Amino acid sequence: MPVPFADLQLQYRNIKPEIDEAIAAVIRDNAFIRGSYVDAFEHEFAAAAEVKCCVSCANGTDALYLAMAALKVGPGDEVITTAHSWISTSAMITHAGAAVVFCDTDGRTFTIDPKAIEAAITPRTVGIIPVHLYGQPAEMDAIMAIARKHRLWVIEDCAQAHLARYKGQMVGTFGSAATYSFYPGKNLGAMGDAGAVVTNDDELAEHMTILARHGGLVKHQHRIEGINSRLDGMQAAILSAKLPHLVDWTAARQKAADVYNAGLNQIEDVIVPQVAPDRTHVYHLYTIKHPRRDALAAYLNANGVQTAINYPTALPFLAAYQRLGHRLEQFPNAFGDQGRVLSLPMFAEITRKQQDEVIDRVHAF
Ligand SMILES: *Cc1c(COP(=O)(O)O)cnc(C)c1O
């Protein structure tokens, strides 16, 4: 029995009437760009994310750009982020005009090491972008303390961490702003591209809205030069239909993670995800470490278990950052992990039978 890495078709089938009705309503109302469905989702998502303002946009990458542009990041500035993430996080620092400064991860949670942040700060540092990678919050108390001490802003990249909490507090509510992606495979996914940036700062929210809408709130009155980054009505309506299920889907992912942990943690070579105390992990990805990762991945894939590597090359070592001349020894954890991480099938609807199949195959290997 093959086990898929994720099963978006199954999620759709389970809530088909709600999704179909949402799409039909947008077509009926001609509400393709902006309008009531987008406004409604912004309000609903702000409530779910426990923030005052949600500014929707085209994707999670634009969300990062909008937040930094609104915070007036520019040439001469340095922005600190993690060596272990998807490239959007660091690429948007460059596109906002600043220099990327990478920090290693902590070796346990795959999130940025606060000690490395402290060491990377210079007079040019303006902000920090922690990423709640795979669905586990970064060490926010330590990060916020550093930010306060050095008067830096923090933008949380929550693209993989919808509804995760740190010491009971929702991710995305610690820093000046936080960014979300609703890429189809994310914990809350649209049926196309979608994203949002959230904040408790009304002024910042307005600035981000202006930036995302051609530089103005009123048609033909362009106060500044903005970009065009819109959540379309169809995606908004689909996201509104899915949002009420997110709490249950998150709990299902956490339950599935418990099943994997119990089944895999006696295997000496497997390191299951380490969750730090006082953090909830929402398991966008269930990522293990294995010393013979490539052989394990090949074996699982040959036996019908789909896996993924997130990510095969840590950011500092990508061709895109060759100009920075980084050495492997500068990022021992991120470098060590890039050859060992393996993400196993994880989605809210995964069955016990599918998980047993995965667990049995890892044991067999
Ligand atoms: C998915 C993702 C993004 C980008 O989101 P898109 O909607 O694909 O642009 C940014 N950061 C992280 C950590 C992500 O996982």
Side-chain angles (χ1 to χ4, degrees):
M1 180 189 66
V3 185
F5 187 65
D7 194 342
L8 296 178
Q9 268 305 313
L10 178 56
Q11 186 197 60
Y12 170 59
R13 282 202 304 278
N14 287 344
I15 55 167
K16 187 171 185 302
E18 294 152 68
I19 298 288
D20 292 356
E21 165 51 30
I23 293 170
V26 173
I27 297 171
R28 188 184 60 221
D29 297 350
N30 246 310
F32 300 112
I33 299 293
R34 299 236 44 92
S36 61
Y37 295 96
V38 175
D39 292 344
F41 176 70
E42 287 181 342
H43 283 112
E44 291 157 12
F45 191 70
E50 302 183 358
V51 287
K52 247 163 92 182
C53 316
C54 168
V55 178
S56 63
C57 61
N59 54 65
T61 306
D62 280 5
L64 286 157
Y65 173 78
L66 291 167
M68 275 185 275
L71 287 163
K72 308 248 168 36
V73 172
D77 293 342
E78 292 176 359
V79 176
I80 291 172
T81 194
T82 172
H84 189 156
S85 184
W86 175 244
I87 191 167
S88 301
T89 319
S90 52
M92 290 304 108
I93 295 172
T94 306
H95 288 305
V100 181
V101 176
F102 288 116
C103 283
D104 202 9
T105 47
D106 66 12
R108 267 183 327 131
T109 66
F110 302 109
T111 62
I112 193 166
D113 181 355
K115 289 194 292 294
I117 297 176
E118 191 84 72
I121 289 172
T122 76
R124 288 168 173 247
T125 308
V126 294
I128 309 167
I129 309 184
V131 180
H132 306 309
L133 200 78
Y134 302 158
Q136 175 165 205
E139 199 180 316
M140 291 314 297
D141 276 354
I143 293 167
M144 295 311 297
I146 294 168
R148 274 190 299 274
K149 182 171 151 201
H150 297 275
R151 298 179 177 280
L152 310 174
W153 50 253
V154 171
I155 298 170
E156 297 170 68
D157 184 338
C158 299
Q160 303 188 0
H162 313 68
L163 304 189
R165 288 177 188 274
Y166 176 92
K167 296 191 176 168
Q169 186 178 337
M170 188 72 79
V171 296
T173 62
F174 291 85
S176 299
T179 62
Y180 284 90
S181 167
F182 309 113
Y183 176 84
K186 297 286 160 78
N187 286 23
L188 176 63
M191 290 178 149
D193 274 313
V197 50
V198 303
T199 181
N200 285 315
D201 180 337
D202 294 301
E203 230 173 281
L204 192 63
E206 188 181 82
H207 197 161
M208 294 189 293
T209 307
I210 290 169
L211 279 166
R213 296 185 203 163
H214 296 293
L217 293 176
V218 181
K219 201 166 188 178
H220 302 308
Q221 295 181 17
H222 308 285
R223 285 152 53 175
I224 54 171
E225 293 171 302
I227 62 168
N228 174 20
S229 184
R230 291 187 286 235
L231 172 67
D232 69 73
M234 200 87 88
Q235 301 308 335
I238 289 165
L239 288 166
S240 285
K242 288 189 178 190
L243 184 57
H245 298 283
L246 186 58
V247 168
D248 289 345
W249 288 341
T250 302
R253 284 176 182 272
Q254 290 165 333
K255 224 177 118 212
D258 290 342
V259 169
Y260 274 145
N261 288 341
L264 297 172
N265 67 13
Q266 328 85 0
I267 305 175
E268 208 184 314
D269 277 344
V270 172
I271 300 177
V272 300
Q274 305 292 300
V275 185
D278 284 330
R279 302 189 214 181
T280 63
H281 195 318
V282 296
Y283 295 101
H284 168 57
L285 294 169
Y286 183 90
T287 304
I288 62 168
K289 295 201 226 187
H290 196 284
R292 284 174 296 136
R293 188 270 315 277
D294 290 335
L296 174 60
Y299 176 83
L300 291 176
N301 294 349
N303 285 283
V305 174
Q306 273 182 9
T307 61
I309 296 171
N310 308 93
Y311 302 89
T313 308
L315 295 173
F317 313 127
L318 288 170
Y321 295 107
Q322 214 167 18
R323 66 176 190 276
L324 301 178
H326 284 308
R327 287 166 294 109
L328 306 179
E329 314 84 74
Q330 291 176 279
F331 307 95
N333 294 325
F335 178 65
D337 288 345
Q338 74 178 29
R340 296 199 291 159
V341 289
L342 186 66
S343 303
L344 302 180
M346 170 57 76
F347 46 101
E349 301 79 7
I350 195 167
T351 63
R352 182 64 201 239
K353 208 163 147 236
Q354 287 173 313
Q355 289 201 271
D356 285 343
E357 172 75 12
V358 176
I359 291 165
D360 289 349
R361 290 292 177 186
V362 177
H363 275 277
F365 175 78

